[in-house]
Amino acid sequence: DVRVNVSFEELPTLTCAEGEAPEYYLPSDACEVDVPFKAPSYTGCNSSVPFSFKLQQMIGGSYADVIVPAQDWNTTSYKLAPGSYKTIFTVNDNCLDVKYCERTFEVKDEIDPDFTCPEHISVSTDEGKCGADIDLAVPVVTDNCDGAWIEASLPSGTVKVSGVVVRESFSVGATDVTWTAYDSAGNFKSCVQK
């Protein structure tokens, strides 16, 4: 019975990449941003061992895998939408040594939705009334991400509006209408129409 004992002169090491940002911000004209990924450096019994890479996004309170294609880890980036992410680089060098580098980061949208504030208007009362029913043109909202909406603060209350006009009854006198556009990231823009 012969036993062979193989030992390392140096233990395998996995050095995680440094200098990667914890936050990335969307540009004003897109709902994704290029996020670079750097592979860790490895020394061990098999210097040519490939890395395993996993990208995950926070969904419903837990991380779920995002399917990504294989890449050259010297020049890798992915376009990512707003959210919380985690990356895991894993190396298994077949020498009974498994090591990994884990990183978390955020992609943030801080771009306010935009619209042109409607012009101030002045109308006469409807015949036989102390006020007027007015069709207000709804501003067109633009944003770097889909899903922005607009609300109007009217005499009858604040409502989320759609379409091209909203009809409202106004009493005699000056009344301010506040238009506020929102997006899913919590950004907003407001203006007052008189």
Side-chain angles (χ1 to χ4, degrees), residues 108-123:
K108 295 186 174 184
D109 176 11
E110 295 192 345
I111 305 299
D112 293 337
D114 195 22
F115 64 92
T116 300
C117 196
E119 295 181 0
H120 302 325
I121 57 176
S122 179
V123 299

Side-chain angles (χ1 to χ4, degrees), residues 24-83:
Y24 297 87
Y25 297 90
L26 297 185
S28 60
D29 60 349
C31 198
E32 295 179 319
V33 65
D34 278 315
V35 177
F37 298 105
K38 300 176 183 177
S41 61
Y42 167 78
T43 58
C45 70
N46 183 358
S47 60
S48 63
V49 66
F51 293 105
S52 165
F53 174 75
K54 184 181 289 187
L55 173 64
Q56 298 179 323
Q57 183 176 11
M58 180 72 75
I59 299 174
S62 60
Y63 284 103
D65 289 348
V66 177
I67 304 301
V68 292
Q71 295 283 346
D72 174 1
W73 294 116
N74 294 317
T75 57
T76 295
S77 66
Y78 288 113
K79 288 187 178 295
L80 298 178

